Coordinates of all heavy atoms in Angstrom, one line a residue:
L320 N 113.4 83.7 103.7 CA 112.9 84.8 104.5 C 112.0 84.3 105.6 O 110.9 83.9 105.3 CB 112.2 85.9 103.7 CG 111.8 87.1 104.4 CD1 113.0 88.0 104.9 CD2 110.8 88.0 103.6
Q321 N 112.5 84.3 106.8 CA 111.7 83.9 108.0 C 111.0 85.2 108.5 O 111.6 86.2 108.8 CB 112.6 83.3 109.1 CG 111.8 83.0 110.3 CD 110.8 81.8 110.1 OE1 111.2 80.8 109.6 NE2 109.6 82.0 110.6
M322 N 109.6 85.1 108.6 CA 108.9 86.2 109.0 C 108.1 85.9 110.3 O 107.3 84.9 110.2 CB 107.9 86.7 107.9 CG 108.6 87.0 106.6 SD 107.5 87.6 105.3 CE 106.6 86.1 105.0
N323 N 108.3 86.6 111.3 CA 107.6 86.3 112.6 C 106.8 87.5 113.0 O 107.0 88.6 112.5 CB 108.7 86.0 113.7 CG 109.5 84.8 113.4 OD1 109.0 83.8 112.8 ND2 110.8 84.8 113.8
S324 N 105.9 87.3 113.9 CA 105.0 88.3 114.5 C 104.4 89.1 113.4 O 104.4 90.4 113.4 CB 105.8 89.3 115.4 OG 106.4 88.5 116.5
L325 N 103.8 88.5 112.4 CA 103.2 89.1 111.3 C 102.0 89.9 111.6 O 101.2 89.6 112.5 CB 102.9 88.1 110.2 CG 104.1 87.5 109.5 CD1 103.8 86.2 108.8 CD2 104.7 88.5 108.5
T326 N 101.8 91.0 110.9 CA 100.7 91.9 111.1 C 100.0 92.1 109.8 O 100.6 91.8 108.7 CB 101.1 93.3 111.6 OG1 101.7 94.0 110.6 CG2 102.1 93.2 112.8
P327 N 98.7 92.5 109.8 CA 98.0 92.7 108.5 C 98.8 93.7 107.6 O 98.7 93.6 106.3 CB 96.7 93.3 108.9 CG 96.5 92.7 110.3 CD 97.8 92.7 110.9
E328 N 99.6 94.6 108.1 CA 100.4 95.5 107.3 C 101.5 94.8 106.5 O 102.1 95.4 105.6 CB 101.0 96.6 108.2 CG 100.0 97.6 108.7 CD 99.0 97.0 109.7 OE1 99.4 96.2 110.5 OE2 97.8 97.4 109.7
D329 N 101.8 93.6 106.9 CA 102.8 92.8 106.1 C 102.2 92.1 104.9 O 102.9 91.5 104.1 CB 103.4 91.7 107.0 CG 104.2 92.4 108.2 OD1 105.0 93.3 107.9 OD2 104.1 91.9 109.3
T330 N 100.9 92.2 104.7 CA 100.2 91.6 103.6 C 100.7 92.2 102.3 O 100.7 93.4 102.1 CB 98.7 91.8 103.7 OG1 98.2 91.0 104.8 CG2 98.0 91.3 102.4
A331 N 101.2 91.4 101.4 CA 101.9 91.9 100.2 C 102.3 90.7 99.3 O 102.2 89.5 99.7 CB 103.1 92.7 100.5
V332 N 102.7 91.0 98.1 CA 103.4 90.0 97.3 C 104.9 90.2 97.5 O 105.4 91.3 97.4 CB 103.1 90.2 95.8 CG1 103.8 89.2 94.9 CG2 101.6 90.0 95.5
Y333 N 105.5 89.1 97.9 CA 106.9 89.1 98.2 C 107.7 88.6 97.1 O 107.4 87.5 96.5 CB 107.2 88.3 99.5 CG 106.7 89.0 100.7 CD1 105.4 89.2 101.0 CD2 107.7 89.6 101.6 CE1 105.0 89.9 102.2 CE2 107.3 90.3 102.8 CZ 105.9 90.4 103.0 OH 105.5 91.1 104.2
Y334 N 108.8 89.3 96.7 CA 109.7 88.9 95.6 C 111.1 88.7 96.1 O 111.6 89.5 96.8 CB 109.7 90.0 94.5 CG 108.4 90.3 93.9 CD1 107.5 91.3 94.4 CD2 108.0 89.7 92.7 CE1 106.3 91.5 93.8 CE2 106.8 89.9 92.1 CZ 105.9 90.9 92.7 OH 104.7 91.1 92.1
C335 N 111.7 87.7 95.6 CA 113.2 87.6 95.8 C 113.9 88.1 94.5 O 113.3 88.1 93.5 CB 113.6 86.1 96.1 SG 113.3 85.0 94.7
A336 N 115.1 88.5 94.7 CA 115.8 89.1 93.6 C 117.3 88.9 93.7 O 117.8 88.8 94.9 CB 115.5 90.6 93.6
A337 N 118.0 88.8 92.6 CA 119.4 88.6 92.5 C 120.1 89.9 92.1 O 119.6 90.5 91.1 CB 119.8 87.4 91.6
D338 N 121.2 90.2 92.8 CA 121.9 91.4 92.4 C 122.5 91.2 91.0 O 122.8 90.1 90.5 CB 123.1 91.6 93.4 CG 123.7 93.0 93.4 OD1 123.9 93.5 92.2 OD2 123.9 93.5 94.4
S339 N 122.6 92.3 90.3 CA 123.0 92.2 88.9 C 124.5 92.0 88.8 O 125.1 91.6 87.7 CB 122.6 93.5 88.1 OG 123.2 94.6 88.7
Q340 N 125.3 92.3 89.9 CA 126.7 92.1 89.9 C 127.1 91.3 91.0 O 126.5 91.4 92.1 CB 127.4 93.5 89.9 CG 127.1 94.3 88.7 CD 127.9 95.6 88.7 OE1 129.0 95.7 89.4 NE2 127.4 96.7 88.0
P341 N 128.2 90.5 90.9 CA 128.7 89.7 92.0 C 129.4 90.4 93.1 O 129.9 91.6 92.8 CB 129.6 88.7 91.3 CG 130.1 89.4 90.1 CD 129.0 90.3 89.7
F342 N 129.5 89.9 94.2 CA 130.4 90.3 95.3 C 130.2 91.8 95.7 O 131.1 92.6 95.9 CB 131.9 90.1 94.9 CG 132.2 88.7 94.5 CD1 132.7 88.4 93.2 CD2 132.0 87.7 95.4 CE1 133.0 87.1 92.8 CE2 132.3 86.4 95.0 CZ 132.8 86.1 93.7
R343 N 128.9 92.1 95.9 CA 128.6 93.4 96.5 C 127.3 93.2 97.3 O 126.5 92.3 97.1 CB 128.4 94.5 95.4 CG 127.2 94.3 94.5 CD 127.1 95.5 93.6 NE 125.9 95.4 92.8 CZ 125.5 96.3 91.9 NH1 126.2 97.4 91.7 NH2 124.4 96.1 91.2

Side-chain angles (χ1 to χ4, degrees):
L320 183 68
Q321 176 69 48
M322 302 183 291
N323 299 326
S324 301
L325 287 163
T326 73
E328 288 68 38
D329 295 315
T330 295
V332 178
Y333 284 71
Y334 297 90
C335 63
D338 199 313
S339 61
Q340 295 184 26
F342 306 119
R343 69 175 185 177

